[in-house]
Amino acid sequence: MTTTLNVPAADLPAPPDAAKKPYTVKAPHGAQRSDEYYWLRDDKRKNPEMLAYLNAENAYVDAVMKPLKPLEDKLYGEIVGRIKQDDSSVPYRERGYWYYTRFETGQDYPIHARRKGSMEDAEQVLLDVNAMAKGKDYFSVGAMEVTQDNQILAWADDAVGRRQYKIRFKNLATGEIYSDVIENTSTDLVWADDNKTLFYVENDPKTLLTVRIKKHVLGTPASKDVLVYEEKDDSFYMGIERSRDDAYICINIHSTVSSEVRCAPAADPKEFFVLAPRQRDVEYDADHLGGRWVIRTNAPGADGKPAPNFKLVTADDGARSIKEWKDWIAHRDDVFVEGFELFDGFTAVAERSNALERLRLIGKDGKEEFVKADEPAFSMGLSVNSEHDTPWLRYTYTSLTTPATTYELNTATGERKLLKRQPVIGYDADKYVTERFWATARDGVKVPVSLVYKKGFEKNGKAALLQYAYGSYGMSMDPGFNSTVVSLLDRGMVYAIAHIRGGQEMGRKWYDDGKLFHKQNTFNDFVDVTADLVKAGYAAPDRVAAYGGSAGGLLMGAIANMAPDKYRVVLSQVPFVDVVTTMLDASIPLTTNEYDEWGNPEKKDYYDYMLSYSPYDNLKKQAYPAMFVGTGLWDSQVQYWEPAKYVARLRDLDTGKQPVLFRTNMDAGHGGKSGRFRRFREQAEMYSFMIDQMQVSADIVAK
């Protein structure tokens, strides 16, 4: 059977119609644009007219989706039914304690705990997030750090969803919650060796930029916290961490194209030295072990050759400039160095080649080997390796058919232990197939695609397909297991991840070719992947759905304007669709950090290029696909008014008859609702809309 709304348009309520109010957005170079829905922006989220519009849109979604509520409930039950409710993470050892997170049946939030000596010893609960979240619409613990003497816990929590955290403290010996509270922070927390001084990052309360490093001494007012470092350049982010050997506390300062690391001895962190002064187009990150620095960088070597795919260099303990760095792992045009982990006896290097991840192990004797994988498309990476004086490497492995798995590999003997494979109740990996497909973009570039479907699938050009991508910030969308997708595969659908330019799956050039004045490649790649998948028989031309979120929502808006006829449905979550207006406003959180990603529209050449693809500005009179657009009222990364304005203008211009739904989560931010179950209700609603629109069977296909 198929499920359809089967409700005459006349019987459905009319979609909301937002009021138009004249407003002109001006650029410094004189350009002007009319924005009749600018009034929907309210930084305080209190404007009654704006809230009434968002609530009207939610009521419209409720009315349109009412016939599909049974399917939504069914999907939600399937998704949640695959979750092992009394689950726990793989414990890791640090300073004599085993730390882990566990869930209890029926509970939405984790319990963070530890055991001293071994996992057979008594449990000590650090934080029961279920109790902390009680009575709150949203709650998240963003970070936790324990003092070097194992006695005091600091954590950062957010009760709004805007990623402005409060830091609090607990005495783990007595259970006492201290009265100290620090507001407007990020999640980075580092204790000094004195076990009473905490270093943290303070955010600007309006722009949310990481602007200051401060230190707090337990028992003193937060208003007296000492300023350690202030970043004056608002195109940079900041973080703080300990070095691998715990010898240093390091401030990591980075923009899209430049980095700087400042460190101080953890035993006496009074003065921070600069490891290497920042330079435009030179990025680096560093760690310390065995009396030397190991640095991942794209800086040219002594020969002057650039290293866009990054390399590893070393430096003596006292080195303070790039000139003192010595090449260790050379740059390669076909391998992107993504990260590394230092151990006493070896180094693990995380790399990318041919759009796949791999781990290269380098022994002290210089011998190298790769950690093996068994599937054509997979995701592999470093896991929690809290101790460096061990031959055991922990790493994660997953694919579109293999649930998240944690292995432990003895680099001396080759012995491998399976520590955990994420339980997925009722799931049988043997019933599904994953493969790698290469599409050809219009400029001739080959674009990798990861595919998964149920065994028995026939490439006869009749199936429904969901195509997902992101394509920005150099973030790679690796083919990892997604339990919600199983409900689609079981109904005969194909799921595809398009590894388009703008990500970093194929190295740094893949990223560079999908940003700034090359951004159009990102959108072209996605559309061209769709065309090739349809041509190859993976989907019917009228049964393709596109899905993306955040910057991937920008992608959704762009492809809906470019090629509306290629998509039956577009699913867009927290979409960045008003590119030019947002990037012209430095008061909006995160804007200034991203000039090297999108460009600064205060410069006319960037303005004109961004305007050429900005989804809100390029809406036009044409028939658009069915759309489901979601946002969070408290989103700090893509403000709610971007999708709100986009949908309001889309309703004015759309000449088609497909439904456009706009759901605002009134008590959440960029990541949706908190808790491990509630977010799946949103996913089930969106999936039920897509399944209905593409005439996919509501029942599971037996094969």
Side-chain angles (χ1 to χ4, degrees):
M1 62 166 280
T2 56
T3 299
T4 58
L5 287 171
N6 279 330
V7 178
D11 294 342
L12 288 174
D17 185 15
K20 296 183 180 69
K21 301 182 182 183
Y23 187 88
T24 301
V25 180
K26 300 178 181 179
H29 41 75
Q32 297 185 6
R33 291 155 44 249
S34 176
D35 188 351
E36 68 278 20
Y37 295 115
Y38 190 91
W39 69 269
L40 285 168
R41 173 179 176 174
D42 175 24
D43 290 20
K44 295 182 179 179
R45 277 84 170 157
K46 293 181 179 179
N47 180 351
E49 188 179 3
M50 175 274 291
L51 292 172
Y53 169 67
L54 297 185
N55 285 322
E57 288 283 5
N58 281 342
Y60 179 67
V61 177
D62 291 340
V64 173
M65 292 295 292
K66 188 176 180 180
L68 295 177
K69 193 67 169 65
L71 175 57
E72 177 194 326
D73 290 342
K74 187 175 184 180
L75 289 167
Y76 177 75
E78 290 172 16
I79 294 168
V80 172
R82 297 188 193 102
I83 298 172
K84 186 176 187 294
Q85 297 212 13
D86 56 342
D87 200 10
S88 61
S89 65
V90 178
Y92 65 90
R93 189 177 63 188
E94 190 164 14
R95 296 192 300 276
Y97 285 83
W98 289 91
Y99 289 86
Y100 58 96
T101 297
R102 63 179 177 84
F103 288 91
E104 293 184 344
T105 300
Q107 296 294 320
D108 233 334
Y109 296 93
I111 294 170
H112 299 286
R114 69 178 184 179
R115 298 175 191 260
K116 188 175 183 180
S118 75
M119 285 300 291
E120 281 67 52
D121 290 316
E123 178 181 81
Q124 180 183 22
V125 172
L126 306 177
L127 295 176
D128 182 347
V129 185
N130 297 288
M132 299 163 71
K134 195 170 183 180
K136 298 179 175 67
D137 291 325
Y138 180 95
F139 192 78
S140 173
V141 172
M144 300 167 47
E145 286 295 331
V146 177
T147 50
Q148 295 291 295
D149 65 1
N150 302 313
Q151 296 302 302
I152 307 294
L153 171 72
W155 78 90
D157 63 49
D158 172 16
V160 176
R162 197 155 169 74
R163 301 188 184 182
Q164 280 283 62
Y165 291 86
K166 294 182 180 180
I167 299 173
R168 310 176 199 271
F169 303 88
K170 179 180 182 180
N171 186 310
L172 296 178
T174 66
E176 176 188 0
I177 305 294
Y178 293 142
S179 59
D180 305 49
V181 177
I182 309 169
E183 299 191 8
N184 294 329
T185 77
S186 76
T187 58
D188 284 17
L189 315 171
V190 175
W191 288 102
D193 285 356
D194 66 1
N195 303 306
K196 65 178 182 181
T197 303
L198 182 82
F199 288 80
Y200 64 93
V201 184
E202 184 179 69
N203 293 344
D204 182 278
K206 186 174 183 180
T207 66
L208 308 188
L209 294 176
T210 50
V211 289
R212 285 173 285 275
I213 303 292
K214 287 187 171 182
K215 62 180 179 180
H216 175 79
V217 178
L218 277 177
T220 65
S223 60
K224 301 293 185 182
D225 287 356
V226 174
L227 176 65
V228 174
Y229 175 77
E230 184 169 11
E231 178 54 50
K232 301 292 188 180
D233 188 335
D234 60 9
S235 68
F236 282 78
Y237 293 98
M238 282 196 297
I240 190 165
E241 63 182 358
R242 273 181 171 263
S243 63
R244 180 70 163 150
D245 56 6
D246 279 329
Y248 292 100
I249 294 173
C250 293
I251 301 169
N252 299 309
I253 309 163
H254 62 95
S255 70
T256 304
V257 297
S258 179
S259 309
E260 186 174 83
V261 177
R262 295 168 174 258
C263 300
D268 187 24
K270 291 179 180 176
E271 293 188 17
F272 285 74
F273 60 83
V274 179
L275 187 60
R278 68 186 70 173
Q279 297 179 34
R280 175 83 182 175
D281 296 322
V282 173
E283 299 173 64
Y284 73 94
D285 52 86
D287 210 344
H288 189 272
L289 182 67
R292 71 170 184 171
W293 295 98
V294 176
I295 301 159
R296 171 185 169 270
T297 184
N298 65 351
D303 58 4
K305 292 182 179 179
N309 274 340
F310 289 77
K311 61 184 178 179
L312 294 186
V313 302
T314 62
D316 295 337
D317 194 58
R320 299 292 183 268
S321 74
I322 288 179
K323 293 179 181 179
E324 299 172 82
W325 295 356
K326 303 163 190 170
D327 281 357
W328 178 33
I329 306 298
H331 173 267
R332 285 160 293 173
D333 292 333
D334 59 344
V335 177
F336 177 70
V337 178
E338 197 164 47
F340 64 93
E341 192 81 271
L342 302 176
F343 294 81
D344 290 353
F346 68 99
T347 297
V349 182
E351 304 177 339
R352 288 184 180 276
S353 60
N354 207 31
L356 292 173
E357 297 170 290
R358 63 182 184 181
L359 293 175
R360 180 158 53 133
L361 307 179
I362 305 171
K364 276 201 165 182
D365 57 3
K367 289 184 179 179
E368 300 183 8
E369 64 175 322
F370 291 99
V371 177
K372 295 179 177 60
D374 303 319
E375 295 172 282
F378 59 89
S379 177
M380 179 189 292
L382 295 165
S383 184
V384 177
N385 289 279
S386 56
E387 297 176 322
H388 56 79
D389 56 345
T390 174
W392 291 94
L393 170 75
R394 285 191 177 186
Y395 69 96
T396 58
Y397 179 91
T398 182
S399 76
L400 289 171
T401 59
T402 304
T405 306
T406 302
Y407 288 108
E408 194 170 53
L409 175 68
N410 190 308
T411 57
T413 66
E415 179 187 359
R416 187 176 78 166
K417 296 179 183 177
L418 171 63
L419 299 182
K420 180 181 181 180
R421 177 160 289 149
Q422 184 62 41
V424 183
I425 297 172
Y427 173 76
D428 181 358
D430 289 337
K431 293 182 178 180
Y432 307 89
V433 177
T434 183
E435 66 170 289
R436 174 57 59 91
F437 177 86
W438 292 87
T440 304
R442 62 195 67 182
D443 60 358
V445 170
K446 298 293 184 182
V447 180
V449 185
S450 297
L451 291 157
V452 63
Y453 43 80
K454 198 167 187 178
K455 279 185 179 176
F457 165 74
E458 296 179 16
K459 287 192 288 184
N460 56 15
K462 296 181 180 180
L465 178 144
L466 175 59
Q467 181 177 316
Y468 171 82
Y470 186 74
S472 292
Y473 302 109
M475 292 181 63
S476 299
M477 296 294 108
D478 296 305
F481 185 76
N482 183 343
S483 66
T484 67
V485 169
V486 176
S487 288
L488 307 182
L489 308 182
D490 284 348
R491 289 171 170 81
M493 287 187 65
V494 178
Y495 179 67
I497 301 176
H499 306 290
I500 56 182
R501 281 173 282 186
Q504 217 153 223
E505 290 92 337
M506 296 284 283
R508 182 64 179 218
K509 190 175 187 302
W510 203 248
Y511 171 37
D512 291 339
D513 285 350
K515 69 173 185 174
L516 296 175
F517 291 115
H518 303 292
K519 192 64 205 170
Q520 188 63 43
N521 287 333
T522 302
F523 316 134
N524 292 346
D525 284 359
F526 190 90
V527 173
D528 295 342
V529 165
T530 302
D532 271 13
L533 289 175
V534 169
K535 183 178 179 182
Y538 287 98
D542 59 348
R543 301 187 77 197
V544 178
Y547 179 23
S550 195
L554 161 67
L555 170 67
M556 295 299 101
I559 61 107
N561 285 332
M562 289 170 55
D565 56 319
K566 290 188 180 297
Y567 302 97
R568 181 66 183 83
V569 184
V570 171
L571 309 176
S572 185
Q573 288 294 330
V574 292
F576 175 42
V577 284
D578 191 15
V579 182
V580 179
T581 303
T582 290
M583 294 303 295
L584 278 171
D585 190 345
S587 72
I588 293 177
L590 312 184
T591 291
T592 55
N593 295 88
E594 301 190 356
Y595 288 150
D596 289 310
E597 178 73 26
W598 311 107
N600 183 349
E602 292 183 7
K603 300 176 181 178
K604 192 173 186 305
D605 54 348
Y606 282 119
Y607 179 96
D608 291 341
Y609 188 76
M610 295 160 73
L611 189 62
S612 73
Y613 66 77
S614 174
Y616 183 56
D617 294 288
N618 286 280
L619 287 167
K620 57 190 174 184
K621 282 192 175 295
Q622 64 179 2
Y624 281 88
M627 287 197 194
F628 193 107
V629 181
T631 191
L633 180 63
W634 295 97
D635 195 333
S636 61
Q637 291 178 265
V638 178
Q639 309 296 318
Y640 76 86
W641 56 78
E642 289 201 38
K645 295 195 308 177
Y646 172 79
V647 169
R649 183 177 281 181
L650 174 64
R651 293 200 191 288
D652 296 336
L653 297 171
D654 186 4
T655 62
K657 298 180 180 180
Q658 305 305 325
V660 174
L661 304 186
F662 177 41
R663 170 72 80 189
T664 301
N665 191 322
M666 304 300 283
D667 55 23
H670 197 64
K673 289 182 179 291
S674 59
R676 60 174 175 158
F677 298 126
R678 292 197 293 172
R679 63 190 177 93
F680 293 127
R681 177 59 72 178
E682 297 172 334
Q683 193 89 33
E685 180 179 59
M686 186 175 68
Y687 276 178
S688 62
F689 176 78
M690 174 187 66
I691 285 172
D692 173 74
Q693 289 298 314
M694 296 207 299
Q695 296 291 288
V696 172
S697 173
D699 296 325
I700 291 173
V701 177
K703 283 184 181 176

